[in-house]
């Protein structure tokens, strides 16, 4: 609607601009055919397929899935939630890395400063910590769900094995992160944990020595756990997750209804 | 009727013309004119140019077969045309049971006979006729084989066979909306939790002040609890190492019962439930009921000796 000066209202201008951008060649180049963000998207069976098939989503999902697999009561979304939590942990973890130095002198002070004098520092640290606990829980529950459905039976045997590796990696990620605040809780929990591992005969003491970078927890251990926690283990777990998701699909999607 | 792509036809004609020493056009004409009727309505599968796959299968009538699904195929015969020095690398046999079959062009009757109609169940290793005419044996120079059966691949070995149409829905919007909702709920829950509960940060790490009790993170506390009952050599090795990891990985290979119906697998369910209840109990015991010296305490009487929790669980 035109105002006294013959111009358009702000809202209309923005709307017009949006239409122009969505019709433009730059926008056009960004989305492949069938994207709901493209100009003139309409809800048709063909476009519903294209939304998946013509986008990166195709790396994660097939175009169609079994009806019962969509029901929340079947998977309880536990595998998906484990993955979401991993992503949330990655995001919050990157934030934490900006403020944290993995040395025996600085680590504790950095975490303390983060909680008291960084905007949202305390919230993000809490999210990272509780999120990690939650992820251990959801992965464990996901495993139980898979067991009770007998979803590890052929052809999914190997994906169960991949899953057990994922569980182990999740625990290791959580455990290496536990040391990083370098407070009494961290130090002694890791001491107890690595002592337990050290009881394993033959390779136990060797593994313990390699993990700790010595015979007991020191500043070396802190650096080692840090590198494992922010680089090595996430890298490995992403690879295993990729295999895991790919196998879910290649094994014929979610297992059948009971 | 098989439609052989023009470029494939051209290439094979050229190759044969070279081998036989005749003009290409002649061979091409021969191929076009004399092509024997193809076996029972096979469908041409998209293949790399080096091979032509002849697939005996009824065209899938399943409307659900989206772009991702390969049509249900029982047997796939891959043939290739090789002339003179072999350039194409020999494909490996997928498994010992399916050795690559090399069949010279002096086709034995078996190769030339049309494949038996393939019924469901275990697919026989059917050989198939090449849609191209077989050159006369005497016309082939010594040592030149114009055709070779490289391998016979059992369809089941390389792909999922969709046996029955399933009840399916579009991922977009149905699954995506469910996932997105779960993501929002989880994010919301985590934010609220993190606003309410402060993560613990005790005093600076001190090597000279061992807290009593010293506890592992909660997910290892079940193990720590076990360690307090048994010799560490047993609890520290057998429990996590063998039963924990290897044992868990072996579950699908031990449980050979094919049924997923709960009523058919009472024993498996019983065992797993026992495991769940056991680990939950041990973890709770280790977390809440162990005090100084890892001795038994009641959390409501003596308080909680678990630093992750003690700030926000209060029994008054
Ligand atoms: C980081 C940890 C893990 C992630 C992110 C993850 C993710 C997923 C996802 C998204 C699915 C699809 C179905 C669903 O959501 O339930 C799935 C299925 C599956 N997962 Fe996991 N998973 C993890 C750990 C595990 C573990 C510990 C096991 C078992 C030991 C396991 C075994 C399986 C199996 C067998 C399936 C197929 C289930 C079916 O077809 O019904 N996964 N996983």
């Amino acid at each position: 609607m035109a105002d006294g000066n013959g111009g358009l209202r702000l809202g209309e201008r923005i709307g017009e601009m949006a239409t122009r951008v969505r019709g433009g060649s730059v926008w056009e180049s960004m989305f492949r055919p069938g994207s709901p963000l493209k100009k003139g998207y309409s809800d048709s069976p063909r476009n519903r397929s294209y939304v998946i098939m013509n986008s990166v989503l195709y790396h994660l999902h097939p175009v169609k899935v079994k009806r019962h697999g969509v029901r929340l009561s079947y998977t309880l979304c536990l595998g998906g939630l484990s993955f979401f939590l991993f992503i949330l942990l990655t995001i919050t973890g990157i934030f934490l890395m900006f403020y944290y130095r993995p040395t025996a002198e600085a680590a504790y002070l950095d975490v303390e400063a983060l909680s008291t004098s960084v905007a949202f520092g305390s919230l993000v640290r809490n999210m990272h910590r509780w999120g990690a606990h939650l992820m251990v829980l959801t992965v464990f529950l996901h495993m139980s769900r898979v067991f009770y459905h007998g979803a590890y039976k052929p052809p999914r045997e190997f994906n169960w094995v991949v899953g057990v590796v994922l569980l182990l990696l999740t625990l290791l990620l959580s455990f290496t992160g536990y040391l990083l605040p370098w407070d009494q809780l961290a130090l002694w929990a890791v001491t107890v944990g690595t002592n337990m591992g050290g009881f394993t005969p033959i390779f136990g003491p060797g593994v313990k020595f390699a993990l700790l970078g010595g015979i007991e927890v020191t500043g070396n251990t802190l650096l080692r756990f840090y590198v494992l926690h922010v680089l090595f283990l996430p890298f490995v777990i992403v690879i295993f997750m990729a295999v895991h998701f790919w196998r879910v699909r290649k094994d014929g999607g979610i297992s059948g209804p009971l | 009727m098989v439609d052989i792509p023009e470029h494939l036809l051209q290439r094979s004609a050229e190759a044969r013309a070279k081998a036989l020493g005749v003009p290409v056009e002649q061979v091409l004409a021969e191929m076009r004119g004399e092509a024997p009727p193809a076996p029972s309505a096979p469908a041409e599968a998209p293949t790399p140019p080096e091979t032509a796959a002849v697939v005996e299968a009824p065209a899938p009538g399943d409307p659900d077969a989206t772009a991702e699904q390969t049509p249900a195929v029982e047997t796939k015969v891959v043939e290739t045309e090789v002339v003179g020095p072999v350039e194409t690398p020999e494909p490996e046999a997928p498994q010992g049971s399916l050795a690559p079959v090399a069949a010279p062009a002096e086709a034995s009757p078996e190769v030339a006979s049309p494949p038996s109609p393939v019924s469901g169940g275990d697919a026989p290793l059917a050989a198939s006729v090449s849609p191209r005419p077989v050159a006369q044996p005497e016309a082939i120079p010594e040592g030149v084989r114009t055709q070779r059966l490289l391998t016979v691949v059992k369809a089941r070995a390389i792909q999922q066979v969709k046996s029955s149409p399933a009840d399916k829905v579009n991922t977009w919007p149905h699954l995506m909306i469910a996932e997105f909702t779960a993501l929002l709920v989880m994010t919301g829950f985590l934010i609220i939790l993190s606003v309410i509960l402060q993560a613990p940060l005790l005093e600076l790490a001190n090597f000279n002040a061992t807290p009593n009790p010293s506890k592992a993170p909660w997910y290892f506390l079940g193990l720590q609890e076990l360690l307090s009952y048994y010799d560490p050599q047993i609890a520290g090795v057998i429990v996590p190492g063998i039963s924990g990891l290897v044992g868990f990985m072996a579950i699908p290979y031990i449980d050979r019962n094919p049924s997923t119906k709960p009523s058919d697998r009472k024993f498996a369910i019983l065992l797993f439930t026992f495991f769940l209840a056991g680990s939950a109990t041990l973890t709770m015991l280790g977390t809440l009921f162990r005090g100084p010296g890892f001795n038994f305490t009641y959390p409501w009487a003596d308080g909680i000796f678990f630093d992750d929790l003690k700030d926000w669980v209060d029994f008054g």
Side-chain angles (χ1 to χ4, degrees):
Chain A
M1 196 181 294
D3 63 17
N5 300 325
L8 292 171
R9 292 242 182 88
L10 184 62
E12 289 176 7
R13 274 182 194 226
I14 291 175
E16 207 166 74
M17 177 98 119
T19 319
R20 207 160 339 121
V21 168
R22 297 218 318 160
S25 59
V26 175
W27 192 267
E28 181 75 19
S29 73
M30 281 161 65
F31 302 98
R32 305 199 60 229
S35 166
L37 295 169
K38 237 179 158 65
K39 198 178 169 188
Y41 175 82
S42 61
D43 189 22
S44 65
R46 181 183 151 111
N47 274 346
R48 285 182 173 202
S49 306
Y50 274 168
V51 171
I52 303 298
M53 206 162 59
N54 264 350
S55 74
V56 279
L57 289 175
Y58 206 29
H59 282 284
L60 282 177
H61 282 310
V63 167
K64 288 188 170 192
V65 287
K66 291 175 195 154
R67 187 182 295 279
H68 75 90
V70 174
R71 282 207 335 261
L72 207 58
S73 56
Y74 191 72
T75 64
L76 304 170
C77 216
L78 285 166
L81 283 176
S82 309
F83 182 51
F84 298 152
L85 279 170
F86 178 75
I87 291 172
L88 278 175
L89 288 166
T90 309
I91 296 169
T92 51
I94 290 172
F95 178 94
L96 296 179
M97 282 176 76
F98 285 127
Y99 301 97
Y100 178 84
R101 288 164 292 168
T103 64
E105 295 76 35
Y108 180 77
L109 296 177
D110 285 350
V111 176
E112 208 173 32
L114 175 83
S115 319
T116 51
S117 49
V118 173
F120 296 113
S122 174
L123 177 71
V124 175
R125 173 169 178 244
N126 291 350
M127 282 177 71
H128 195 75
R129 194 178 182 101
W130 302 134
H133 287 322
L134 264 178
M135 181 171 165
V136 173
L137 205 68
T138 55
V139 171
F140 195 78
L141 292 178
H142 168 63
M143 179 180 81
S144 311
R145 177 313 267 175
V146 168
F147 187 91
Y148 283 117
H149 282 164
Y152 55 83
K153 304 199 168 186
R156 298 182 177 80
E157 308 102 302
F158 188 68
N159 216 14
W160 171 272
V161 177
V162 174
V164 176
V165 175
L166 282 173
L167 175 68
L168 179 72
L169 288 170
T170 308
L171 289 175
L172 282 176
L173 268 168
S174 191
F175 185 63
T176 49
Y178 217 84
L179 182 66
L180 301 187
W182 203 242
D183 62 350
Q184 281 289 76
L185 179 56
L187 174 64
W188 295 101
V190 167
T191 302
V192 171
T194 45
N195 278 343
M196 280 172 11
F199 286 133
T200 315
I202 308 165
F203 57 87
V207 169
K208 184 182 162 193
F209 189 86
L211 261 183
L212 296 185
I215 49 168
E216 56 177 23
V217 180
T218 61
N220 286 345
T221 318
L222 184 58
L223 180 60
R224 219 160 261 225
F225 272 41
Y226 178 74
V227 174
L228 289 176
H229 185 74
V230 304
L231 216 62
F232 180 75
L233 292 169
F235 176 72
V236 177
I237 205 173
V238 163
I239 292 175
F240 274 90
M241 280 186 187
V243 175
H244 195 61
F245 300 161
W246 177 78
R247 275 303 291 248
V248 169
R249 234 168 110 169
K250 288 295 160 186
D251 291 340
I254 300 297
S255 55
L258 291 182
Chain B
M1 180 68 204
V2 183
D3 264 337
I4 302 163
E6 193 60 37
H7 66 280
L8 284 184
L9 204 65
Q10 178 73 30
R11 191 191 324 199
S12 91
E14 269 166 25
R16 186 164 305 147
K18 197 167 144 212
L20 301 176
V22 291
V24 181
E25 296 82 80
Q26 185 191 328
V27 181
L28 253 180
E30 233 170 59
M31 283 177 149
R32 290 221 173 88
E34 295 175 15
S40 56
E44 182 90 26
T47 47
E50 250 64 45
T51 60
V54 182
V55 179
E56 277 90 36
D62 173 24
D64 260 339
T66 51
E68 205 201 7
Q69 246 94 34
T70 328
V73 171
E74 284 300 340
T75 306
K76 196 172 185 180
V77 179
V78 182
E79 285 185 30
T80 187
E81 191 126 347
V82 185
V83 175
V86 182
E87 282 161 10
T88 25
E90 304 246 3
E92 296 284 343
Q95 282 299 321
S97 62
L98 284 178
V101 188
E106 301 87 317
S108 59
E110 187 201 324
V111 174
S113 70
S116 51
V118 181
S119 53
D122 217 14
L125 293 182
S128 148
V129 182
S130 157
R132 289 171 289 280
V134 176
Q136 294 309 302
E138 60 272 21
I140 302 169
E142 183 86 50
V144 173
R145 292 177 298 173
T146 58
Q147 283 197 332
R148 226 149 48 102
L149 187 59
L150 280 185
T151 180
V152 178
V153 186
K154 251 192 190 177
R156 280 178 204 282
I158 55 169
Q159 65 196 151
Q160 278 283 318
V161 176
K162 204 152 128 337
S163 44
S164 60
D167 185 13
K168 289 194 164 186
V169 294
N170 272 100
T171 303
W172 170 268
H174 303 289
L175 179 60
M176 301 298 293
I177 283 181
E179 285 181 341
F180 192 64
T181 314
L183 175 117
L184 284 186
V185 170
M186 178 52 95
T187 313
F189 174 70
L190 191 58
I191 289 178
I192 293 172
L193 192 74
S194 303
V195 168
I196 299 175
L197 302 178
Q198 182 57 42
L201 185 65
L202 310 187
E203 317 81 62
L204 177 68
N206 180 354
F207 296 101
N208 301 316
T210 311
N212 189 5
S214 287
K215 290 191 181 182
W218 64 267
Y219 36 82
F220 290 150
L221 272 181
L223 285 180
Q224 198 179 346
E225 178 72 18
L226 266 184
L227 272 172
S228 69
Y229 302 147
Y230 297 105
D231 180 64
Q233 295 290 331
I234 297 173
V237 182
I238 312 283
V239 177
I242 297 178
S243 83
L245 273 175
V246 183
F248 255 78
M249 286 186 185
I251 284 178
Y253 306 98
I254 295 170
D255 176 10
R256 281 311 192 179
N257 170 9
S259 171
T260 57
K261 278 228 287 294
S263 54
D264 291 343
R265 42 198 298 267
K266 291 200 179 101
F267 184 62
I269 287 178
L270 188 78
L271 273 187
F272 195 81
T273 310
F274 187 72
F275 160 77
L276 277 191
S279 41
T281 310
L282 286 175
T283 307
M284 300 273 277
L285 276 179
T287 311
L288 301 173
F289 293 84
R290 292 286 169 183
F294 219 67
N295 290 319
F296 193 86
T297 58
Y298 289 107
W300 47 89
D302 310 311
I304 289 183
F305 295 89
F306 181 64
D307 295 302
D308 256 337
L309 280 179
K310 76 172 181 196
D311 285 347
W312 45 276
V313 178
D314 189 5
F315 290 101

